[in-house]
Amino acid sequence: MEKSRHIMKSIIISAALLGASVKAALYKSKTPPMGWNSYNYYNCNPSEDIMKTNAQGLVDLGLADLGYVYVTTDCGWMAGDRDSEGRLQWNPTLFPSGGEALGDYIHGLGLKFGLYSGAGYYQCGSTDLPASLGFEEIDAQTFANWSGDSLKYDNCYSSSRTVQADYTSEVSTSPVRHEKMAALLDGVDREMAYFICQWGIGEDLGEWAPHIGNVYRISNDIYNAWRSVWRITNQVVPFYRSTTVGAYPDMDMLIVGLNALSLQEEKFHFSMWAINKSPLNIGAPTDTKLTPTASLDVIRNQEVIDINQDPLGKQARLIRRYTEEEWDIWAGELSGSRTVLGIANWKNDSQTVEFDISAVNVSEARARDVWAAKDIGTISGVQTLELNGHEMRLLVLSDIVTPNSLPKSTGKYYSAANATFSGSAAEVACGATQCAPIGNKISIPSQGASATFGSVAVSSAGKKLVGIDFINYDIALDSAWGWGSNTRNMTVAVNGGTEKRWAFPISGGDWSESDRMVIEVDEFVAGGNQVVFAASGDSSAPDIVGFEVFE
């Protein structure tokens, strides 16, 4: 089914259910929300004491003053039965004072009261605690009556009372239930921010969620391992299209302070979430006896927070990727005609990297090293950086001078019509508005499959920039808990030379939405060249729409 038909079907179903537009005027913070959530440390075992202690900790540690104001009680807060009028009840053993009193306490600290429920039969992490399915109208009003300031709306037990996480069924992947709650919250007499937690499953999250959610989860859960930072980073890439003031991609809660990462990795993690405009939700206790002071200092870094909270609300872009060398260049637009530049070292070991700042459309600028809190002065041209293992160097560039010239396309676009195929590689037709810019794509699905392009003409020998329009929607669902990375790998070789591997991130909202990744490829000769794209190892490559060469 073509994307336009998919979207229209969603709109028709939603209108029939709700009788109103779901582009609701819910409360939307102008910058990514910041706060604290009980789940990452306490799992689905919150209590009144836990919530009050950590809310007070936000104030005592100066975190509230920095903007961490949403205090969210995640799964596990409710009793097993609703009351006689069908309303959710707080577990009286865990929360003896009840929800309204907890909200009053949190508000009394100058903080915001965050609530939690789900669109399925039961809450996540339980087998019997009720969620909101079938009680949406009652629950929306109840949340307002409790003076809630936000609602995180999860997606467990969406299709069954026995399957907690369903990633594939129509009912689980459809936006309809999350749209319904949005419309109902929009009708209550209280402003509430809506935090969609649908896990980014199904299709076209970036098309339906930003209209109704202040934030929208783009991935499966984060967990206490470095590889989950890599996985989620590869999934957030295409959301630059929908990230805007009031609508932000949620990369999940922070694992800073949970003894899951090194201090260097915590800084990397916090930096990557900040530049991509993810909400910043602390997952560690706000207690110096439980959370290292050095970790608290990471999340208290004002300059990194300022990047995240920049009023333009622009997500950073992946500018260059060097897969075999294990580093990336990221850049994003900031207010005041500034740019944030992130150099990400994915490698376990330290390494020296070189790049020309013209890659981010800068010939000269004043630079500030954010983590070092140091003004570097004016930089231009090729930069050489010594990066520690798993370091992300953040630079803020100002007084920017743009280049007089940049590499230009040779003027030829190479697509399936220009390729010969081997193995299982084949041309695949797309809809008229899909697989931009051509309307078809090349599948390279297995070991031994490749697409070869002859007569790729350039004017001079050496290394060239190649802009590849690719499609990858191989999102990590069950594999998220293991080594799922949200990437597909492909090798590129020129004139029979060395095959070099590249890891391509998620490109869009389905298998027909393309994105472009620019890579540096060597071994071109002046005149005609042969370029071969092939599957890497025994895994599928991304689909390829086409490419062009810049020099």
Side-chain angles (χ1 to χ4, degrees), residues 495-513:
N495 297 323
T498 304
E499 293 183 346
K500 194 164 185 179
R501 180 176 62 88
W502 307 90
F504 289 77
I506 299 299
S507 62
D510 57 27
W511 277 106
S512 66
E513 187 170 14

Side-chain angles (χ1 to χ4, degrees), residues 44 46 73-79 88-91 94-95 115-117 123 129 143 146:
C44 292
T73 308
D74 211 286
C75 52
W77 60 265
M78 69 295 295
L88 289 168
Q89 300 295 295
W90 290 76
N91 183 316
L94 297 174
F95 294 88
L115 296 165
Y116 169 93
S117 188
Q123 303 280 359
L129 297 182
F143 300 146
W146 288 339

Side-chain angles (χ1 to χ4, degrees), residues 344-358:
N345 182 20
W346 294 103
K347 194 172 185 177
N348 293 335
D349 303 319
S350 60
Q351 65 171 319
T352 302
V353 302
E354 286 191 351
F355 63 97
D356 194 313
I357 58 172
S358 64

Side-chain angles (χ1 to χ4, degrees), residues 200-415:
I201 62 177
E203 296 182 348
D204 304 316
L205 175 71
E207 295 186 6
W208 64 265
H211 299 299
I212 57 175
N214 194 178
V215 303
Y216 43 96
R217 266 280 295 281
I218 57 99
S219 70
N220 215 327
D221 286 8
I222 197 170
Y223 56 85
N224 290 351
W226 169 250
R227 63 180 180 269
S228 68
V229 175
W230 167 248
R231 167 177 58 86
I232 294 170
T233 295
N234 283 307
Q235 197 160 354
V236 79
V237 171
F239 286 94
Y240 68 87
R241 299 183 179 102
S242 55
T243 298
T244 189
V245 172
Y248 297 103
D250 185 356
M251 299 170 74
D252 206 2
M253 292 164 281
L254 297 165
I255 56 174
V256 176
L258 296 177
N259 297 313
L261 306 175
S262 69
L263 184 60
Q264 191 70 260
E265 290 168 344
E266 289 185 339
K267 291 178 179 179
F268 185 116
H269 167 37
F270 193 57
S271 299
M272 189 64 78
W273 265 231
I275 68 172
N276 281 291
K277 300 301 185 286
S278 174
L280 301 177
N281 284 305
I282 301 167
T286 57
D287 182 344
T288 55
K289 295 179 182 178
L290 298 174
T291 301
T293 299
S295 297
L296 291 169
D297 287 341
V298 169
I299 58 177
R300 286 187 292 211
N301 188 294
Q302 183 69 68
E303 293 189 47
V304 182
I305 291 172
D306 288 346
I307 291 169
N308 177 258
Q309 298 288 295
D310 187 82
L312 288 185
K314 294 285 188 71
Q315 181 182 336
R317 301 282 302 274
L318 174 60
I319 304 300
R320 297 281 191 277
R321 169 158 286 177
Y322 301 89
T323 302
E324 293 186 352
E325 296 84 359
E326 300 183 68
W327 65 285
D328 292 343
I329 301 175
W330 294 72
E333 185 181 354
L334 298 176
S335 59
S337 301
R338 297 171 301 142
T339 292
V340 59
L341 178 61
I343 311 301
N345 182 20
W346 294 103
K347 194 172 185 177
N348 293 335
D349 303 319
S350 60
Q351 65 171 319
T352 302
V353 302
E354 286 191 351
F355 63 97
D356 194 313
I357 58 172
S358 64
V360 296
N361 197 31
V362 175
S363 65
E364 181 180 290
R366 291 178 56 83
R368 180 171 176 81
D369 186 324
V370 173
W371 283 107
K374 177 182 178 181
D375 291 323
I376 298 172
T378 300
I379 63 173
S380 62
V382 176
Q383 303 299 303
T384 301
L385 299 181
E386 300 284 343
L387 298 176
N388 293 318
H390 296 173
E391 177 184 358
M392 187 168 192
R393 188 75 55 88
L394 280 186
L395 303 177
V396 171
L397 308 181
S398 58
D399 297 334
I400 292 170
V401 179
T402 57
N404 292 325
S405 64
L406 292 169
K408 295 181 180 179
S409 171
T410 61
K412 172 72 173 178
Y413 190 86
Y414 300 89
S415 63

Side-chain angles (χ1 to χ4, degrees), residues 46-117:
S47 70
E48 183 173 318
D49 286 344
I50 286 170
M51 299 311 299
K52 287 183 174 181
T53 297
N54 283 281
Q56 185 66 56
L58 289 176
V59 175
D60 294 344
L61 295 174
L63 293 161
D65 290 337
L66 293 170
Y68 294 98
V69 294
Y70 283 94
V71 180
T72 301
T73 308
D74 211 286
C75 52
W77 60 265
M78 69 295 295
D81 296 309
R82 293 173 177 268
D83 71 7
S84 60
E85 297 183 20
R87 295 173 298 195
L88 289 168
Q89 300 295 295
W90 290 76
N91 183 316
T93 301
L94 297 174
F95 294 88
S97 301
E100 287 186 68
L102 178 61
D104 289 343
Y105 179 85
I106 290 171
H107 288 145
L109 295 174
L111 304 173
K112 294 181 181 292
F113 184 30
L115 296 165
Y116 169 93
S117 188

